Amino acid sequence: MFYSVDPDKMKSSFSVPNDIVDKLLKFTDGNQLKVLLYILRNNGRADDIDTMSKALKIEKSDIDDCIQYWEFTGMLKHEDPSKSAEPVKFIPSIKKRAEKAEISTIPSKPSSEEIAKRIDESPEIGHLMLEAQGKLGKTIGYDGQCTLLLLHDHYGLPIEVLFMLIEYCSSVGKTNYSYIEAVGKDWGEREIDTLEKAALQISSLNNANSFWTEFAKYAGLNTPRPTLKQAEFLHRWREEWKFSSDMIFRAYDEMATYTGKLNFRYIDKVLNSWYNEGYKIIADVEEGQKKRSESPKAEKSTSYDLDEFKNRSIHGELKYERKKKE
């Protein structure tokens, strides 16, 4: 059977890349597809999450996860006019497996028969499906089985690590497969593939969730918990750079003054500058600002350039180098 679109409807249309249908559609859930179509319809703009959430009837935290998914596939990337385009960088652990097995970085979705065969071949996988069903409080159907098998076979997460991942997702009330897959991909990217690494990661996420309550109250946010990317920022600010709540709130105020909207990348840029300057308390920040105001010829590198970052903060991508293993 053949269908055609009403010509009158084609008078107002927008482009959809062929790869979305030809390569990615079978891996994509409804929310991910709705978010992508919305962004394409609005010429790539995704900065008004509140409006998008209302239009699509999707939670803002889930929208962030969906955007991260499309960034991972390479379909979406932050625009930065000041830099030339860079090739998509694949997850290191996935790239290694892809080079060895000569497989695509985007896995094929297994059929029901293939899933059944894997369960027959591996009692551990069958046990994983049953345990996940109990922890998530719902029947694990085809979508759930695909998600768990994907995280195990393609992203290399051991069964015991997947148990901990599911336990964490259940504890924060995020039992949809899109979120579970997003967390699993994040763990695969950072090679969190042992019980010890998983325990440290969950502790970090729980600490971020705990601080989020304090941060959200200060910022006037009503989302119950941070997205994965926001949790990563919070972990860096609190655990790695050891900033107090007061310092983070001061950086938030700097962001609000210069951008007028919530922008975690801007806050991160400010705190990164303070960390490099050795500022530990508010008095350090104020003293540094006083010295800069009295010395207009001070080198630009001694502080963060607010005007430059203001222009790039919304679409510019901050990159952090992974420490090389010794």
Side-chain angles (χ1 to χ4, degrees), residues 290-309:
K290 180 180 179 181
K291 287 181 179 179
R292 283 193 298 276
S293 66
E294 295 173 350
S295 178
K297 294 184 179 180
E299 293 185 10
K300 182 178 177 180
S301 60
T302 61
S303 180
Y304 50 92
D305 188 331
L306 293 177
D307 291 331
E308 178 184 354
F309 192 74

Side-chain angles (χ1 to χ4, degrees), residues 93-153:
S93 58
I94 298 173
K95 185 176 180 181
K96 290 178 184 177
R97 289 195 290 274
E99 290 172 347
K100 290 181 180 179
E102 296 183 353
I103 60 175
S104 167
T105 54
I106 300 177
S108 298
K109 195 172 185 178
S111 65
S112 298
E113 291 75 15
E114 289 172 327
I115 292 175
K117 183 178 180 181
R118 288 288 289 118
I119 292 175
D120 288 339
E121 292 174 346
S122 174
E124 284 189 334
I125 292 179
H127 182 58
L128 171 65
M129 301 298 180
L130 289 175
E131 284 293 314
Q133 189 165 277
K135 292 183 181 299
L136 298 177
K138 59 183 177 181
T139 301
I140 301 295
Y142 176 69
D143 288 341
Q145 292 173 344
C146 279
T147 296
L148 296 177
L149 203 57
L150 169 77
L151 296 178
H152 177 61
D153 286 354

Side-chain angles (χ1 to χ4, degrees), residues 188-227:
E189 176 182 353
R190 292 188 284 138
E191 299 179 1
I192 301 173
D193 52 9
T194 67
L195 291 176
E196 292 77 12
K197 291 179 181 178
L200 288 174
Q201 175 64 10
I202 290 174
S203 176
S204 172
L205 289 171
N206 285 334
N207 288 338
N209 289 339
S210 177
F211 176 63
W212 177 259
T213 302
E214 186 179 354
F215 180 86
K217 182 178 180 180
Y218 186 85
L221 306 175
N222 55 15
T223 50
R225 62 187 60 83
T227 65

Side-chain angles (χ1 to χ4, degrees), residues 16-244:
V16 176
N18 289 340
D19 278 358
I20 293 175
V21 176
D22 297 343
K23 298 180 181 180
L24 300 173
L25 190 59
K26 58 187 176 182
F27 308 115
T28 304
D29 66 23
N31 283 350
Q32 291 167 344
L33 185 59
K34 287 198 290 185
V35 167
L36 180 63
L37 291 176
Y38 185 94
I39 292 173
L40 294 178
R41 169 64 180 84
N42 289 277
N43 299 316
R45 295 192 65 85
D47 49 351
D48 192 344
I49 300 297
D50 287 330
T51 300
M52 192 186 304
S53 176
K54 293 176 182 177
L56 301 179
K57 297 188 183 303
I58 300 174
E59 291 184 13
K60 289 185 286 187
S61 58
D62 289 335
I63 288 176
D64 284 328
D65 292 337
C66 290
I67 292 175
Q68 287 179 34
Y69 166 78
W70 288 116
E71 288 177 344
F72 166 74
T73 65
M75 188 57 60
L76 295 180
K77 56 184 178 181
H78 291 290
E79 293 183 0
D80 186 353
S82 67
K83 296 181 180 180
S84 58
E86 297 181 354
V88 175
K89 297 181 178 179
F90 296 123
I91 294 175
S93 58
I94 298 173
K95 185 176 180 181
K96 290 178 184 177
R97 289 195 290 274
E99 290 172 347
K100 290 181 180 179
E102 296 183 353
I103 60 175
S104 167
T105 54
I106 300 177
S108 298
K109 195 172 185 178
S111 65
S112 298
E113 291 75 15
E114 289 172 327
I115 292 175
K117 183 178 180 181
R118 288 288 289 118
I119 292 175
D120 288 339
E121 292 174 346
S122 174
E124 284 189 334
I125 292 179
H127 182 58
L128 171 65
M129 301 298 180
L130 289 175
E131 284 293 314
Q133 189 165 277
K135 292 183 181 299
L136 298 177
K138 59 183 177 181
T139 301
I140 301 295
Y142 176 69
D143 288 341
Q145 292 173 344
C146 279
T147 296
L148 296 177
L149 203 57
L150 169 77
L151 296 178
H152 177 61
D153 286 354
H154 188 75
Y155 293 96
L157 296 184
I159 298 294
E160 61 272 18
V161 172
L162 283 171
F163 282 145
M164 296 185 69
L165 185 153
I166 293 169
E167 183 73 42
Y168 168 75
C169 292
S170 179
S171 71
V172 297
K174 301 283 284 185
T175 59
N176 63 79
Y177 300 129
S178 176
Y179 184 81
I180 293 172
E181 183 175 345
V183 175
K185 285 180 178 179
D186 178 63
W187 287 20
E189 176 182 353
R190 292 188 284 138
E191 299 179 1
I192 301 173
D193 52 9
T194 67
L195 291 176
E196 292 77 12
K197 291 179 181 178
L200 288 174
Q201 175 64 10
I202 290 174
S203 176
S204 172
L205 289 171
N206 285 334
N207 288 338
N209 289 339
S210 177
F211 176 63
W212 177 259
T213 302
E214 186 179 354
F215 180 86
K217 182 178 180 180
Y218 186 85
L221 306 175
N222 55 15
T223 50
R225 62 187 60 83
T227 65
L228 292 177
K229 188 63 180 177
Q230 290 169 343
E232 181 182 325
F233 282 128
L234 296 179
H235 172 78
R236 180 157 56 241
W237 303 342
R238 299 278 288 188
E239 306 298 327
E240 295 181 20
W241 295 345
K242 305 296 184 182
F243 280 121
S244 66

